[in-house]
Amino acid sequence: MDELNDLLRGLTEGMNGGTDPQGRDAANQQFPRGAGARPGRDRPPPPNLPSRSERQGESQVSACPECGGAGFLIYDLPLGHPEYGKPVPCHCKIDERRTRRRRHFRDVHNLDALARFTFDTFNPNLSWLPSYKLESLERAFNAAYAYALQPEGWLLFTGTYGCGKTHLAAAIANHRIESDQSAIFVVVPDLLDHLRSTFGPSSEASYDDLFDEIRNTQLLLLDDLGVQGVTPWAQEKMFQILNHRYNRQLPTVLTTNQRLSDLDQRLRSRLHDLNLVEHIHIRAPDYRAGADPVHGDLSTLSLYAFQRFETFEVQRRNSSPAESANLREVKQAAMSFAEDPQGWLVLIGASGSGKTHLAAAISNELRASGQDDIMFVVVPDLLDYLRAAFNPDSTDSHQRRFDELKRVPLLVLDNLGTESATPWAKEKLFQLLNYRHSALLPTVITTTVAENRLDPWLRTRIGDENVCQVLTIGAVYNRSGAGQSVSRQPQQEQRTSRRTYSG
Protein backbone atom coordinates (compact mmCIF):
# COMPACT_ATOMS: atom_id res chain seq x y z
CA MET A 1 0.00 0.00 0.00
CA ASP A 2 2.91 2.37 0.74
CA GLU A 3 4.36 1.73 -2.70
CA LEU A 4 0.99 2.32 -4.45
CA ASN A 5 0.38 5.61 -2.66
CA ASP A 6 3.88 6.82 -3.45
CA LEU A 7 3.50 5.78 -7.09
CA LEU A 8 0.20 7.64 -7.50
CA ARG A 9 1.61 10.74 -5.87
CA GLY A 10 4.71 10.62 -8.02
CA LEU A 11 2.72 10.23 -11.24
CA THR A 12 0.33 13.05 -10.33
CA GLU A 13 3.10 15.48 -9.47
CA GLY A 14 5.35 14.62 -12.37
CA MET A 15 9.07 14.25 -12.13
CA ASN A 16 11.24 17.17 -11.00
CA GLY A 17 14.52 16.07 -12.50
CA GLY A 18 15.49 12.55 -11.63
CA THR A 19 18.94 12.11 -13.08
CA ASP A 20 20.79 9.12 -11.67
CA PRO A 21 24.52 9.97 -11.88
CA GLN A 22 25.55 6.32 -11.64
CA GLY A 23 23.16 4.96 -14.31
CA ARG A 24 21.09 2.91 -11.83
CA ASP A 25 17.89 3.38 -9.95
CA ALA A 26 17.48 3.85 -6.19
CA ALA A 27 16.79 0.18 -5.66
CA ASN A 28 20.26 -0.58 -7.05
CA GLN A 29 18.80 -2.22 -10.17
CA GLN A 30 21.02 -2.09 -13.25
CA PHE A 31 19.44 -1.01 -16.56
CA PRO A 32 21.04 -1.47 -20.00
CA ARG A 33 22.41 1.71 -21.38
CA GLY A 34 22.43 1.19 -25.10
CA ALA A 35 22.46 3.85 -27.79
CA GLY A 36 19.97 6.57 -27.08
CA ALA A 37 19.34 5.47 -23.52
CA ARG A 38 19.86 8.41 -21.23
CA PRO A 39 19.12 8.56 -17.50
CA GLY A 40 16.46 10.94 -16.30
CA ARG A 41 13.76 12.68 -18.31
CA ASP A 42 13.96 13.84 -21.94
CA ARG A 43 12.15 17.05 -21.10
CA PRO A 44 12.75 19.27 -18.07
CA PRO A 45 9.82 19.74 -15.71
CA PRO A 46 7.56 22.77 -16.32
CA PRO A 47 9.15 25.91 -14.92
CA ASN A 48 7.91 27.24 -11.59
CA LEU A 49 5.84 24.09 -10.96
CA PRO A 50 5.09 24.14 -7.22
CA SER A 51 5.65 20.97 -5.23
CA ARG A 52 2.83 19.31 -3.29
CA SER A 53 4.11 20.62 0.03
CA GLU A 54 4.24 24.15 -1.41
CA ARG A 55 0.69 23.80 -2.79
CA GLN A 56 -0.42 22.81 0.71
CA GLY A 57 1.32 25.79 2.25
CA GLU A 58 4.13 23.76 3.83
CA SER A 59 7.78 24.66 3.69
CA GLN A 60 9.96 22.10 1.99
CA VAL A 61 13.16 21.79 3.97
CA SER A 62 15.15 19.87 1.40
CA ALA A 63 14.22 17.92 -1.72
CA CYS A 64 15.99 14.80 -2.90
CA PRO A 65 18.60 15.85 -5.51
CA GLU A 66 17.76 12.81 -7.67
CA CYS A 67 13.96 12.84 -7.82
CA GLY A 68 13.31 16.41 -6.69
CA GLY A 69 11.02 15.16 -3.95
CA ALA A 70 8.67 13.19 -6.20
CA GLY A 71 9.81 9.87 -4.80
CA PHE A 72 10.16 8.09 -8.17
CA LEU A 73 12.34 8.15 -11.24
CA ILE A 74 11.48 7.32 -14.86
CA TYR A 75 14.46 6.34 -16.99
CA ASP A 76 14.60 7.18 -20.67
CA LEU A 77 14.93 3.81 -22.33
CA PRO A 78 14.43 2.66 -25.93
CA LEU A 79 10.87 2.00 -26.99
CA GLY A 80 10.10 -1.66 -26.42
CA HIS A 81 12.43 -2.01 -23.44
CA PRO A 82 10.63 -4.01 -20.69
CA GLU A 83 11.21 -1.17 -18.20
CA TYR A 84 10.16 1.59 -20.62
CA GLY A 85 7.94 4.17 -18.95
CA LYS A 86 7.89 2.41 -15.57
CA PRO A 87 8.45 4.57 -12.49
CA VAL A 88 11.13 3.24 -10.14
CA PRO A 89 11.20 4.18 -6.42
CA CYS A 90 13.96 6.61 -5.58
CA HIS A 91 16.36 5.67 -2.79
CA CYS A 92 14.89 8.44 -0.62
CA LYS A 93 11.51 6.75 -0.77
CA ILE A 94 13.02 3.36 0.04
CA ASP A 95 14.78 4.88 3.06
CA GLU A 96 11.52 6.50 4.17
CA ARG A 97 9.61 3.22 4.03
CA ARG A 98 12.44 1.46 5.83
CA THR A 99 12.35 4.09 8.59
CA ARG A 100 8.58 3.66 8.95
CA ARG A 101 8.98 -0.11 9.16
CA ARG A 102 11.69 0.19 11.83
CA ARG A 103 9.57 2.59 13.82
CA HIS A 104 6.64 0.18 13.60
CA PHE A 105 8.67 -2.73 14.98
CA ARG A 106 10.08 -0.60 17.78
CA ASP A 107 6.67 0.78 18.76
CA VAL A 108 4.86 -2.54 18.64
CA HIS A 109 7.52 -4.57 20.43
CA ASN A 110 8.86 -1.90 22.85
CA LEU A 111 12.39 -1.95 21.47
CA ASP A 112 12.87 1.77 22.08
CA ALA A 113 13.63 0.97 25.72
CA LEU A 114 16.39 -1.37 24.53
CA ALA A 115 17.78 0.86 21.79
CA ARG A 116 20.99 1.39 23.76
CA PHE A 117 21.71 -2.36 23.72
CA THR A 118 23.83 -2.70 20.60
CA PHE A 119 26.99 -4.55 19.71
CA ASP A 120 28.87 -1.24 19.83
CA THR A 121 27.86 -0.63 23.45
CA PHE A 122 28.66 -4.17 24.62
CA ASN A 123 32.11 -4.49 26.17
CA PRO A 124 33.45 -8.07 26.06
CA ASN A 125 36.95 -7.03 27.17
CA LEU A 126 36.65 -6.46 30.90
CA SER A 127 40.21 -6.46 32.18
CA TRP A 128 39.20 -7.28 35.75
CA LEU A 129 37.62 -10.60 34.79
CA PRO A 130 39.65 -13.80 35.12
CA SER A 131 40.58 -15.39 31.80
CA TYR A 132 38.05 -18.23 31.90
CA LYS A 133 35.16 -15.79 32.41
CA LEU A 134 36.50 -13.41 29.79
CA GLU A 135 36.62 -16.23 27.25
CA SER A 136 32.96 -17.11 27.82
CA LEU A 137 31.98 -13.44 27.39
CA GLU A 138 33.94 -13.10 24.14
CA ARG A 139 32.48 -16.35 22.83
CA ALA A 140 28.95 -15.13 23.59
CA PHE A 141 29.60 -11.81 21.84
CA ASN A 142 31.04 -13.46 18.72
CA ALA A 143 28.18 -15.96 18.53
CA ALA A 144 25.56 -13.21 18.91
CA TYR A 145 27.16 -11.05 16.22
CA ALA A 146 27.43 -13.96 13.78
CA TYR A 147 23.80 -14.86 14.48
CA ALA A 148 22.68 -11.28 13.82
CA LEU A 149 24.30 -11.45 10.38
CA GLN A 150 22.74 -14.81 9.54
CA PRO A 151 20.14 -16.15 11.99
CA GLU A 152 19.88 -19.91 11.70
CA GLY A 153 18.74 -22.44 14.28
CA TRP A 154 18.42 -21.55 17.95
CA LEU A 155 20.81 -19.58 20.15
CA LEU A 156 20.56 -20.11 23.92
CA PHE A 157 22.30 -17.84 26.45
CA THR A 158 22.45 -18.92 30.09
CA GLY A 159 24.13 -17.23 33.04
CA THR A 160 23.49 -15.26 36.21
CA TYR A 161 21.58 -12.00 36.43
CA GLY A 162 23.23 -9.04 34.76
CA CYS A 163 25.91 -11.01 32.89
CA GLY A 164 24.93 -9.60 29.48
CA LYS A 165 22.38 -12.09 28.13
CA THR A 166 19.62 -9.53 27.56
CA HIS A 167 22.05 -7.02 26.06
CA LEU A 168 23.23 -9.51 23.44
CA ALA A 169 19.71 -10.67 22.59
CA ALA A 170 18.51 -7.07 22.20
CA ALA A 171 21.60 -6.25 20.11
CA ILE A 172 20.64 -9.04 17.70
CA ALA A 173 17.09 -7.65 17.42
CA ASN A 174 18.30 -4.08 16.90
CA HIS A 175 20.78 -5.18 14.24
CA ARG A 176 18.14 -7.11 12.31
CA ILE A 177 15.67 -4.21 12.37
CA GLU A 178 18.37 -1.77 11.28
CA SER A 179 19.03 -4.17 8.40
CA ASP A 180 15.35 -3.86 7.39
CA GLN A 181 14.50 -7.34 8.70
CA SER A 182 11.72 -8.28 11.10
CA ALA A 183 12.42 -9.37 14.67
CA ILE A 184 10.29 -9.66 17.79
CA PHE A 185 11.98 -9.22 21.19
CA VAL A 186 9.81 -9.92 24.21
CA VAL A 187 10.30 -10.76 27.89
CA VAL A 188 8.53 -14.06 28.59
CA PRO A 189 6.39 -12.87 31.56
CA ASP A 190 5.33 -9.83 29.50
CA LEU A 191 4.42 -12.07 26.57
CA LEU A 192 2.19 -14.19 28.78
CA ASP A 193 0.56 -11.06 30.20
CA HIS A 194 -0.17 -9.86 26.64
CA LEU A 195 -1.73 -13.19 25.77
CA ARG A 196 -3.89 -13.13 28.91
CA SER A 197 -5.03 -9.57 28.18
CA THR A 198 -6.46 -10.57 24.80
CA PHE A 199 -9.19 -12.50 26.61
CA GLY A 200 -10.53 -9.26 28.09
CA PRO A 201 -13.66 -7.70 26.56
CA SER A 202 -11.88 -4.38 25.95
CA SER A 203 -8.87 -5.91 24.21
CA GLU A 204 -8.12 -4.44 20.79
CA ALA A 205 -5.92 -7.40 19.84
CA SER A 206 -7.02 -10.87 18.90
CA TYR A 207 -5.51 -13.77 20.83
CA ASP A 208 -5.23 -15.84 17.67
CA ASP A 209 -3.49 -13.05 15.76
CA LEU A 210 -0.97 -12.33 18.53
CA PHE A 211 -0.28 -16.00 19.20
CA ASP A 212 0.17 -16.71 15.48
CA GLU A 213 2.50 -13.73 15.07
CA ILE A 214 4.74 -14.93 17.91
CA ARG A 215 4.82 -18.51 16.68
CA ASN A 216 5.63 -17.67 13.05
CA THR A 217 7.66 -14.48 13.15
CA GLN A 218 10.84 -14.50 11.11
CA LEU A 219 13.03 -14.12 14.22
CA LEU A 220 11.81 -14.47 17.82
CA LEU A 221 13.89 -13.43 20.83
CA LEU A 222 12.53 -14.56 24.22
CA ASP A 223 14.17 -13.03 27.29
CA ASP A 224 14.03 -14.55 30.80
CA LEU A 225 12.69 -17.96 29.89
CA GLY A 226 11.76 -19.90 33.01
CA VAL A 227 10.77 -16.99 35.27
CA GLN A 228 7.18 -17.10 34.04
CA GLY A 229 4.46 -18.33 36.34
CA VAL A 230 4.50 -22.08 36.80
CA THR A 231 0.78 -22.39 36.14
CA PRO A 232 -0.21 -25.17 33.74
CA TRP A 233 -1.55 -22.53 31.33
CA ALA A 234 1.77 -20.61 31.21
CA GLN A 235 3.79 -23.79 30.72
CA GLU A 236 1.46 -24.98 27.98
CA LYS A 237 1.60 -21.68 26.07
CA MET A 238 5.41 -21.59 26.13
CA PHE A 239 5.59 -25.19 25.02
CA GLN A 240 3.18 -24.56 22.13
CA ILE A 241 5.19 -21.57 20.93
CA LEU A 242 8.59 -23.20 21.18
CA ASN A 243 7.46 -26.60 19.94
CA HIS A 244 5.97 -24.96 16.84
CA ARG A 245 9.21 -23.11 16.12
CA TYR A 246 11.27 -26.19 16.94
CA ASN A 247 9.41 -28.38 14.46
CA ARG A 248 9.81 -25.76 11.72
CA GLN A 249 13.37 -24.86 12.81
CA LEU A 250 12.50 -21.16 12.89
CA PRO A 251 15.33 -18.87 14.13
CA THR A 252 14.93 -18.29 17.86
CA VAL A 253 17.08 -16.68 20.58
CA LEU A 254 16.48 -17.58 24.23
CA THR A 255 17.96 -16.25 27.47
CA THR A 256 17.51 -17.77 30.92
CA ASN A 257 19.14 -17.60 34.33
CA GLN A 258 17.58 -20.92 35.27
CA ARG A 259 19.34 -24.23 35.21
CA LEU A 260 18.11 -26.28 32.26
CA SER A 261 17.25 -29.09 34.66
CA ASP A 262 14.71 -26.74 36.32
CA LEU A 263 12.81 -26.06 33.08
CA ASP A 264 9.82 -27.96 31.79
CA GLN A 265 11.00 -31.40 30.70
CA ARG A 266 9.49 -30.98 27.23
CA LEU A 267 11.38 -27.72 26.67
CA ARG A 268 14.54 -29.15 28.19
CA SER A 269 14.65 -32.04 25.71
CA ARG A 270 14.42 -29.59 22.78
CA LEU A 271 17.07 -27.28 24.19
CA HIS A 272 19.45 -30.24 24.37
CA ASP A 273 19.20 -30.81 20.61
CA LEU A 274 22.77 -30.09 19.52
CA ASN A 275 21.77 -30.19 15.86
CA LEU A 276 19.58 -27.12 16.29
CA VAL A 277 20.59 -25.31 19.49
CA GLU A 278 23.88 -23.53 20.21
CA HIS A 279 24.11 -23.21 23.98
CA ILE A 280 26.49 -20.60 25.42
CA HIS A 281 26.89 -20.23 29.18
CA ILE A 282 28.18 -16.79 30.20
CA ARG A 283 30.33 -17.07 33.30
CA ALA A 284 30.74 -13.32 33.84
CA PRO A 285 29.28 -11.81 37.05
CA ASP A 286 26.67 -9.09 37.24
CA TYR A 287 27.81 -6.13 35.10
CA ARG A 288 25.98 -3.71 37.36
CA ALA A 289 28.30 -4.51 40.26
CA GLY A 290 31.34 -3.39 38.27
CA ALA A 291 34.85 -4.61 38.99
CA ASP A 292 34.04 -5.38 42.63
CA PRO A 293 30.98 -7.60 42.35
CA VAL A 294 31.09 -9.03 45.87
CA HIS A 295 30.75 -5.58 47.43
CA GLY A 296 27.09 -5.27 46.63
CA ASP A 297 24.14 -4.33 48.77
CA LEU A 298 24.21 -7.60 50.72
CA SER A 299 27.76 -8.94 50.87
CA THR A 300 29.92 -7.39 53.62
CA LEU A 301 33.29 -8.83 52.61
CA SER A 302 34.65 -5.32 52.06
CA LEU A 303 34.53 -4.80 55.85
CA TYR A 304 36.98 -7.67 56.34
CA ALA A 305 39.52 -6.85 53.64
CA PHE A 306 42.45 -7.00 56.08
CA GLN A 307 41.48 -10.26 57.71
CA ARG A 308 43.79 -12.72 56.01
CA PHE A 309 45.59 -15.90 56.98
CA GLU A 310 48.85 -14.07 57.65
CA THR A 311 47.14 -11.83 60.22
CA PHE A 312 45.47 -14.70 62.07
CA GLU A 313 47.28 -15.32 65.37
CA VAL A 314 47.74 -18.89 66.50
CA GLN A 315 50.10 -18.06 69.40
CA ARG A 316 47.97 -15.84 71.58
CA ARG A 317 48.97 -14.29 74.84
CA ASN A 318 48.23 -16.51 77.86
CA SER A 319 46.88 -19.29 75.62
CA SER A 320 47.77 -22.85 76.58
CA PRO A 321 49.82 -25.13 74.30
CA ALA A 322 46.67 -27.14 73.57
CA GLU A 323 44.79 -24.01 72.53
CA SER A 324 47.63 -22.87 70.26
CA ALA A 325 47.74 -26.31 68.64
CA ASN A 326 44.00 -26.14 68.14
CA LEU A 327 44.23 -22.72 66.48
CA ARG A 328 47.08 -23.91 64.25
CA GLU A 329 45.09 -26.96 63.17
CA VAL A 330 41.93 -24.95 62.41
CA LYS A 331 43.91 -22.36 60.44
CA GLN A 332 45.58 -25.07 58.37
CA ALA A 333 42.21 -26.67 57.59
CA ALA A 334 40.80 -23.30 56.50
CA MET A 335 43.84 -22.70 54.26
CA SER A 336 43.33 -26.12 52.67
CA PHE A 337 39.67 -25.32 52.03
CA ALA A 338 40.69 -22.04 50.35
CA GLU A 339 43.03 -23.94 48.02
CA ASP A 340 40.27 -26.33 46.92
CA PRO A 341 36.80 -25.26 48.13
CA GLN A 342 34.55 -28.31 48.10
CA GLY A 343 31.64 -29.26 50.31
CA TRP A 344 30.94 -27.38 53.53
CA LEU A 345 33.25 -25.99 56.20
CA VAL A 346 31.62 -25.26 59.59
CA LEU A 347 33.52 -23.20 62.17
CA ILE A 348 32.15 -23.38 65.72
CA GLY A 349 33.46 -21.18 68.53
CA ALA A 350 32.65 -18.48 71.03
CA SER A 351 32.43 -14.83 70.07
CA GLY A 352 35.90 -13.48 69.41
CA SER A 353 37.49 -16.88 68.75
CA GLY A 354 38.45 -15.98 65.18
CA LYS A 355 35.71 -17.74 63.19
CA THR A 356 34.79 -14.68 61.14
CA HIS A 357 38.48 -13.89 60.60
CA LEU A 358 39.09 -17.32 59.06
CA ALA A 359 35.91 -17.22 56.97
CA ALA A 360 36.94 -13.80 55.61
CA ALA A 361 40.49 -15.06 55.02
CA ILE A 362 39.13 -17.91 52.89
CA SER A 363 37.08 -15.42 50.85
CA ASN A 364 39.94 -12.95 50.44
CA GLU A 365 42.35 -15.71 49.42
CA LEU A 366 39.97 -16.91 46.70
CA ARG A 367 39.39 -13.39 45.46
CA ALA A 368 43.11 -12.81 45.21
CA SER A 369 43.36 -15.89 42.99
CA GLY A 370 40.72 -14.50 40.61
CA GLN A 371 37.50 -16.05 41.92
CA ASP A 372 34.97 -13.30 42.45
CA ASP A 373 31.76 -15.36 42.72
CA ILE A 374 31.71 -15.09 46.51
CA MET A 375 28.92 -13.91 48.78
CA PHE A 376 29.90 -13.11 52.38
CA VAL A 377 26.73 -12.54 54.44
CA VAL A 378 25.97 -12.03 58.12
CA VAL A 379 22.89 -14.17 58.76
CA PRO A 380 20.78 -11.58 60.69
CA ASP A 381 21.45 -9.07 57.89
CA LEU A 382 20.45 -11.69 55.33
CA LEU A 383 17.12 -12.27 57.01
CA ASP A 384 16.42 -8.54 57.27
CA TYR A 385 17.16 -8.29 53.57
CA LEU A 386 14.83 -11.16 52.72
CA ARG A 387 12.02 -9.77 54.86
CA ALA A 388 12.15 -6.60 52.79
CA ALA A 389 12.57 -8.62 49.61
CA PHE A 390 9.45 -10.69 50.08
CA ASN A 391 7.32 -7.67 50.86
CA PRO A 392 4.43 -7.50 48.33
CA ASP A 393 5.61 -4.03 47.26
CA SER A 394 9.21 -5.09 46.63
CA THR A 395 10.73 -5.35 43.17
CA ASP A 396 11.40 -8.59 41.33
CA SER A 397 15.16 -8.12 41.66
CA HIS A 398 15.01 -9.03 45.37
CA GLN A 399 13.50 -12.41 44.63
CA ARG A 400 16.19 -12.89 42.04
CA ARG A 401 18.88 -12.12 44.59
CA PHE A 402 17.60 -14.92 46.83
CA ASP A 403 17.83 -17.32 43.88
CA GLU A 404 21.34 -16.05 43.21
CA LEU A 405 22.29 -16.68 46.84
CA LYS A 406 21.19 -20.28 46.47
CA ARG A 407 23.42 -20.79 43.45
CA VAL A 408 26.46 -18.59 44.12
CA PRO A 409 29.68 -20.67 43.74
CA LEU A 410 30.84 -19.85 47.29
CA LEU A 411 28.55 -18.69 50.08
CA VAL A 412 29.82 -17.63 53.53
CA LEU A 413 27.18 -17.40 56.26
CA ASP A 414 28.55 -15.64 59.33
CA ASN A 415 26.95 -15.84 62.79
CA LEU A 416 24.37 -18.52 62.07
CA GLY A 417 22.19 -19.07 65.13
CA THR A 418 22.08 -15.44 66.32
CA GLU A 419 19.11 -14.64 64.09
CA SER A 420 15.50 -14.33 65.21
CA ALA A 421 14.22 -17.90 65.40
CA THR A 422 10.80 -17.27 63.83
CA PRO A 423 9.25 -20.00 61.70
CA TRP A 424 9.64 -17.77 58.65
CA ALA A 425 13.38 -17.25 59.30
CA LYS A 426 13.92 -20.96 59.79
CA GLU A 427 12.05 -21.74 56.59
CA LYS A 428 14.17 -19.33 54.51
CA LEU A 429 17.43 -20.68 55.93
CA PHE A 430 16.24 -24.22 55.34
CA GLN A 431 15.42 -23.45 51.69
CA LEU A 432 18.81 -21.84 51.21
CA LEU A 433 20.98 -24.45 52.91
CA ASN A 434 18.98 -27.47 51.81
CA TYR A 435 19.46 -26.44 48.19
CA ARG A 436 23.20 -25.91 48.62
CA HIS A 437 23.61 -29.19 50.48
CA SER A 438 21.78 -31.12 47.76
CA ALA A 439 23.76 -29.38 45.01
CA LEU A 440 27.10 -29.85 46.87
CA LEU A 441 27.86 -26.14 46.53
CA PRO A 442 30.83 -24.87 48.59
CA THR A 443 29.60 -23.17 51.75
CA VAL A 444 31.30 -21.79 54.88
CA ILE A 445 29.27 -21.41 58.08
CA THR A 446 30.33 -19.81 61.36
CA THR A 447 28.27 -20.19 64.54
CA THR A 448 28.51 -19.81 68.31
CA VAL A 449 25.96 -22.58 68.80
CA ALA A 450 27.29 -25.99 69.75
CA GLU A 451 26.66 -28.65 67.14
CA ASN A 452 24.30 -30.63 69.38
CA ARG A 453 22.14 -27.53 69.94
CA LEU A 454 21.54 -26.67 66.29
CA ASP A 455 18.15 -27.23 64.71
CA PRO A 456 17.71 -30.90 63.78
CA TRP A 457 17.40 -30.19 60.04
CA LEU A 458 20.72 -28.32 60.07
CA ARG A 459 22.42 -30.76 62.43
CA THR A 460 21.68 -33.68 60.10
CA ARG A 461 23.26 -31.85 57.16
CA ILE A 462 26.30 -30.75 59.13
CA GLY A 463 26.61 -34.30 60.39
CA ASP A 464 26.95 -35.59 56.82
CA GLU A 465 30.65 -36.53 56.83
CA ASN A 466 30.64 -36.94 53.06
CA VAL A 467 29.89 -33.25 52.63
CA CYS A 468 30.99 -31.36 55.78
CA GLN A 469 34.00 -30.91 57.98
CA VAL A 470 33.33 -29.33 61.36
CA LEU A 471 36.06 -27.42 63.22
CA THR A 472 35.69 -26.23 66.81
CA ILE A 473 37.89 -23.36 68.00
CA GLY A 474 38.80 -23.78 71.65
CA ALA A 475 40.24 -20.33 72.48
CA VAL A 476 38.87 -16.83 72.39
CA TYR A 477 40.81 -13.72 71.38
CA ASN A 478 40.70 -11.02 74.03
CA ARG A 479 41.13 -7.67 72.24
CA SER A 480 43.09 -6.33 75.19
CA GLY A 481 45.75 -8.82 74.22
CA ALA A 482 45.08 -11.73 76.54
CA GLY A 483 43.95 -15.15 75.50
CA GLN A 484 41.75 -17.32 77.64
CA SER A 485 40.06 -20.67 77.57
CA VAL A 486 36.47 -20.83 76.46
CA SER A 487 33.99 -21.55 79.24
CA ARG A 488 30.82 -20.39 77.45
CA GLN A 489 29.23 -21.49 74.17
CA PRO A 490 29.83 -23.71 72.44
CA GLN A 491 29.38 -25.99 75.44
CA GLN A 492 31.12 -29.09 74.25
CA GLU A 493 34.47 -30.75 74.67
CA GLN A 494 37.40 -28.46 73.84
CA ARG A 495 38.70 -30.34 70.83
CA THR A 496 38.81 -30.05 67.08
CA SER A 497 36.22 -32.19 65.32
CA ARG A 498 37.47 -33.03 61.84
CA ARG A 499 35.23 -34.41 59.14
CA THR A 500 36.75 -34.44 55.69
CA TYR A 501 34.72 -33.95 52.52
CA SER A 502 35.28 -36.87 50.16
CA GLY A 503 32.99 -35.94 47.27
Side-chain angles (χ1 to χ4, degrees):
M1 183 61 68
D2 288 339
E3 289 82 354
L4 180 59
N5 290 335
D6 293 335
L7 174 60
L8 292 175
R9 185 172 68 251
L11 291 177
T12 4
E13 293 178 1
M15 298 295 128
N16 295 330
T19 301
D20 184 356
Q22 299 181 7
R24 54 184 172 81
D25 69 356
N28 295 325
Q29 298 175 343
Q30 297 293 333
F31 290 97
R33 304 190 59 189
R38 293 177 287 110
R41 297 173 55 93
D42 283 329
R43 299 181 302 279
N48 303 320
L49 177 66
S51 67
R52 182 182 183 184
S53 60
E54 291 171 336
R55 294 196 302 271
Q56 294 176 343
E58 301 172 356
S59 60
Q60 187 172 358
V61 179
S62 61
C64 173
E66 295 188 28
C67 68
F72 287 84
L73 299 171
I74 297 179
Y75 287 90
D76 289 334
L77 299 170
L79 188 63
H81 190 280
E83 302 295 334
Y84 177 81
K86 291 184 178 181
V88 178
C90 179
H91 76 84
C92 68
K93 190 56 58 180
I94 294 176
D95 290 344
E96 180 183 328
R97 287 200 299 270
R98 180 177 296 141
T99 300
R100 286 201 301 265
R101 197 178 298 112
R102 291 172 183 169
R103 188 180 300 116
H104 168 75
F105 274 111
R106 292 191 182 280
D107 291 344
V108 172
H109 304 298
N110 298 319
L111 271 176
D112 276 338
L114 302 172
R116 69 186 188 279
F117 292 149
T118 67
F119 290 113
D120 290 336
T121 60
F122 188 87
N123 182 13
N125 301 311
L126 303 177
S127 59
W128 46 271
L129 281 181
S131 59
Y132 73 98
K133 293 185 178 180
L134 192 60
E135 290 172 3
S136 74
L137 201 59
E138 292 174 346
R139 181 180 171 227
F141 176 86
N142 293 335
Y145 187 74
Y147 194 91
L149 297 178
Q150 187 174 2
E152 293 180 349
W154 287 18
L155 185 59
L156 170 64
F157 290 118
T158 60
T160 189
Y161 308 104
C163 69
K165 305 184 302 297
T166 298
H167 190 139
L168 290 175
I172 294 173
N174 286 323
H175 186 278
R176 296 300 295 174
I177 292 175
E178 289 300 319
S179 302
D180 203 25
Q181 303 293 326
S182 65
I184 294 180
F185 179 100
V186 62
V187 181
V188 170
D190 293 344
L191 168 61
L192 295 171
D193 286 343
H194 290 321
L195 290 174
R196 291 187 188 98
S197 68
T198 59
F199 294 112
S202 60
S203 174
E204 298 179 358
S206 161
Y207 170 84
D208 291 334
D209 290 343
L210 177 58
F211 193 65
D212 186 66
E213 180 185 15
I214 293 295
R215 290 201 308 170
N216 294 298
T217 186
Q218 181 178 341
L219 173 60
L220 177 64
L221 303 101
L222 292 178
D223 190 35
D224 269 352
L225 178 69
V227 301
Q228 71 271 10
V230 292
T231 64
W233 182 88
Q235 288 185 335
E236 188 62 27
K237 292 301 112 181
M238 289 311 305
F239 172 73
Q240 290 175 354
I241 291 171
L242 292 177
N243 186 59
H244 178 88
R245 299 186 66 82
Y246 175 84
N247 291 334
R248 289 158 180 77
Q249 298 192 350
L250 297 174
T252 307
V253 177
L254 304 165
T255 78
T256 181
N257 49 51
Q258 306 292 311
R259 297 187 305 174
L260 295 189
S261 59
D262 294 336
L263 298 177
D264 183 287
Q265 183 177 359
R266 298 172 296 176
L267 296 182
R268 185 168 69 244
S269 65
R270 285 153 179 78
L271 293 177
H272 282 149
D273 185 350
L274 299 181
N275 294 320
L276 179 68
V277 182
E278 182 180 7
H279 176 196
I280 297 180
H281 181 69
I282 303 177
R283 301 177 64 87
D286 191 337
Y287 266 72
R288 305 177 189 93
D292 213 5
V294 298
H295 295 176
D297 52 356
L298 183 57
S299 180
T300 57
L301 184 56
S302 60
L303 302 178
Y304 307 98
F306 299 102
Q307 294 192 343
R308 301 182 178 275
F309 289 122
E310 53 267 28
T311 61
F312 184 81
E313 298 180 4
V314 297
Q315 194 68 40
R316 299 174 182 175
R317 184 179 178 183
N318 296 331
S319 61
S320 68
E323 291 170 343
S324 296
N326 167 254
L327 291 171
R328 192 175 296 107
E329 185 178 9
V330 173
K331 177 182 177 181
Q332 184 58 50
M335 293 174 64
S336 298
F337 184 89
E339 292 177 0
D340 184 22
Q342 296 187 57
W344 287 18
L345 176 65
V346 180
L347 301 174
I348 300 177
S351 298
S353 61
K355 307 181 306 298
T356 298
H357 189 138
L358 288 175
I362 293 172
S363 305
N364 289 323
E365 185 76 12
L366 288 168
R367 288 212 66 205
S369 65
Q371 180 174 333
D372 49 29
D373 293 330
I374 304 168
M375 186 67 73
F376 188 103
V377 188
V378 180
V379 173
D381 293 344
L382 166 64
L383 294 175
D384 286 344
Y385 184 91
L386 293 179
R387 287 187 186 97
F390 286 87
N391 186 294
D393 297 328
S394 67
T395 61
D396 183 56
S397 60
H398 292 94
Q399 173 64 49
R400 291 185 171 190
R401 179 53 60 89
F402 182 63
D403 292 338
E404 185 179 357
L405 265 172
K406 290 165 58 177
R407 296 176 172 86
V408 68
L410 176 63
L411 175 64
V412 179
L413 290 179
D414 191 33
N415 273 344
L416 180 66
T418 62
E419 68 280 354
S420 172
T422 64
W424 182 90
K426 291 181 179 180
E427 178 65 20
K428 290 296 118 183
L429 287 174
F430 172 77
Q431 291 175 0
L432 176 63
L433 291 175
N434 184 62
Y435 179 91
R436 296 189 65 84
H437 181 269
S438 300
L440 298 179
L441 291 174
T443 305
V444 177
I445 297 174
T446 76
T447 180
T448 60
V449 181
E451 185 176 356
N452 60 359
R453 294 190 175 185
L454 293 171
D455 287 335
W457 66 265
L458 180 57
R459 187 166 65 245
T460 57
R461 284 156 182 79
I462 289 178
D464 184 354
E465 297 186 5
N466 292 321
V467 175
C468 300
Q469 58 173 321
V470 180
L471 306 175
T472 301
I473 302 178
V476 63
Y477 178 69
N478 188 324
R479 288 172 175 78
S480 64
Q484 63 184 33
S485 299
V486 178
S487 58
R488 56 188 183 276
Q489 287 185 337
Q491 295 178 0
Q492 62 182 40
E493 185 181 354
Q494 299 298 314
R495 62 181 177 84
T496 302
S497 175
R498 300 290 301 279
R499 301 193 182 106
T500 304
Y501 171 74
S502 58

